[in-house]
Amino acid sequence: MFPYENYLRLDKLPHIWCTGCGCGIILKAMLRAIERSKIPKDSIALVSGIGCSSRTPGYVDFNTLHTTHGRAIAFATGIKLTKPELNIIVISGDGDATAIGGNHFIHAARRNLNMTVIIYNNHIYGMTGGQASPTTPIGNKASTAPYGSIEPSFDISGLGIAAGASFVARSTCYHATQLDGLILKGLLKKGFSLIEVLSPCPTYYARPNRLGTAVDMLRWYKENSIPFERARKMSDEERQGKVVIGILHDTEKSEFCEEYQKLIRKVKGKRR
Ligand code: SF4
């Protein structure tokens, strides 16, 4: 039995998430990954913005910061630059990270800042009432798109890769044990690591789109996810409507904090 209580602020429970929400599954996978990483609790800073996912830091016993909407990565950047010894984990949602915080997301990835960003992608703004987010699939309904969204949606992982992240992985709440391993790899990776997790929102996403219960959503993830290695051998048509999971991108490249320290040493050397 995993000792979750070692990592939880039990006095903050019960949590606020709806029955069947995927947020708790991701939280638990993150705790298992942290345990496996052997990173000391006190050296972790967990930063979130606003949204259902962003309540995560309130329930766990690390250095935690619950910030403003979309700005988690901006706050996390400040922490990392002033205390580079800390291991930074950012918790964000699809709306928080790719709409309001879109610029922070792409520029932190471009800089390859050493942090692990976990994005809970439930295709909707949950906490604020089910508005369409940048990942609401075209044609799907939201409170701000009652006749179906007419906007193409973002591929969060693809955006992270294109912007310059050194590690990008995708999973779903059905693949909870695979998720541990992906988050662990992200934690141990030097540079910007992105873990996108498809997460059920039975309340505001499933209901208007008639997707059934949380169990139905998990079943859909199970039946429609394909591992990256298999997806590579499939045509675009065969991949249509499928969720490609696993490590999508893993590369070595210079990391921002190290480059910044090098620059400081260089500038100081010149002044002597
Ligand atoms: Fe989870 Fe959706 Fe409820 Fe928010 S509104 S807690 S995302 S199920």
Side-chain angles (χ1 to χ4, degrees):
M1 183 76 171
F2 185 85
Y4 293 106
E5 64 279 7
N6 291 351
Y7 292 94
L8 292 172
R9 292 178 177 147
L10 295 173
D11 59 323
K12 300 293 182 198
L13 298 175
H15 58 72
I16 60 143
W17 296 317
C18 311
T19 304
C21 177
C23 290
I25 294 174
I26 305 173
L27 182 156
K28 289 173 84 176
M30 178 186 73
L31 296 183
R32 294 192 298 272
I34 289 170
E35 167 97 356
R36 288 169 66 188
S37 75
K38 310 236 180 309
I39 298 171
K41 272 163 74 170
D42 285 344
S43 76
I44 291 176
L46 198 70
V47 187
S48 70
I50 295 294
C52 296
S53 60
S54 292
R55 298 301 291 255
T56 302
Y59 303 129
V60 289
D61 186 23
F62 304 109
N63 301 292
T64 59
L65 199 59
H66 187 192
T67 71
T68 49
H69 210 179
R71 313 297 170 213
I73 291 176
F75 280 87
T77 299
I79 297 169
K80 188 66 188 170
L81 286 176
T82 50
K83 289 192 174 291
E85 70 280 9
L86 286 178
N87 292 278
I88 309 289
I89 303 174
V90 173
I91 301 291
S92 193
D94 43 291
D96 191 60
T98 64
I100 305 105
N103 263 317
H104 301 305
F105 171 58
I106 59 173
H107 291 290
R110 175 177 68 86
R111 295 177 184 124
N112 199 32
L113 255 164
N114 194 8
M115 59 176 65
T116 302
V117 178
I118 304 173
I119 299 184
Y120 301 25
N121 182 4
N122 58 16
H123 305 294
I124 206 92
Y125 284 91
M127 180 171 280
T128 50
Q131 296 88 351
S133 85
T135 65
T136 303
I138 200 161
N140 277 18
K141 290 180 182 167
S143 61
T144 51
Y147 305 107
S149 171
I150 56 170
E151 299 178 12
S153 58
F154 265 151
D155 168 352
I156 294 180
S157 291
L159 188 60
I161 295 168
S166 59
F167 180 86
V168 176
R170 185 191 291 118
S171 191
T172 81
C173 280
Y174 174 77
H175 303 86
T177 49
Q178 178 204 50
L179 183 55
D180 299 18
L182 295 176
I183 296 175
L184 175 65
K185 284 198 167 68
L187 291 173
L188 300 179
K189 181 79 182 182
K190 187 175 70 178
F192 190 92
S193 298
L194 167 66
I195 322 290
E196 177 192 1
V197 191
L198 268 61
S199 177
C201 172
T203 304
Y204 283 119
Y205 183 61
R207 275 186 202 157
N209 290 296
R210 301 182 185 277
L211 299 177
T213 64
V215 174
D216 293 324
M217 295 185 80
L218 291 174
R219 191 176 296 119
W220 189 92
Y221 295 149
K222 177 188 173 190
E223 291 170 357
N224 291 281
S225 297
I226 43 173
F228 178 63
E229 287 310 320
R230 207 169 98 213
R232 275 162 40 124
K233 296 176 190 139
M234 295 165 70
S235 66
D236 287 349
E237 273 178 9
E238 288 170 321
R239 275 198 303 267
Q240 198 68 32
K242 301 291 181 196
V243 180
V244 179
I245 58 171
I247 298 172
L248 311 182
H249 179 75
D250 188 3
T251 190
E252 301 299 326
K253 56 195 293 194
S254 60
E255 189 277 324
F256 184 83
C257 292
E258 283 186 358
E259 293 302 314
Y260 187 56
Q261 289 305 321
K262 275 191 220 164
L263 181 65
I264 290 171
R265 284 196 293 277
K266 188 173 152 192
V267 172
K268 279 184 177 169
K270 275 188 183 162
R271 283 195 188 139
R272 282 193 197 119

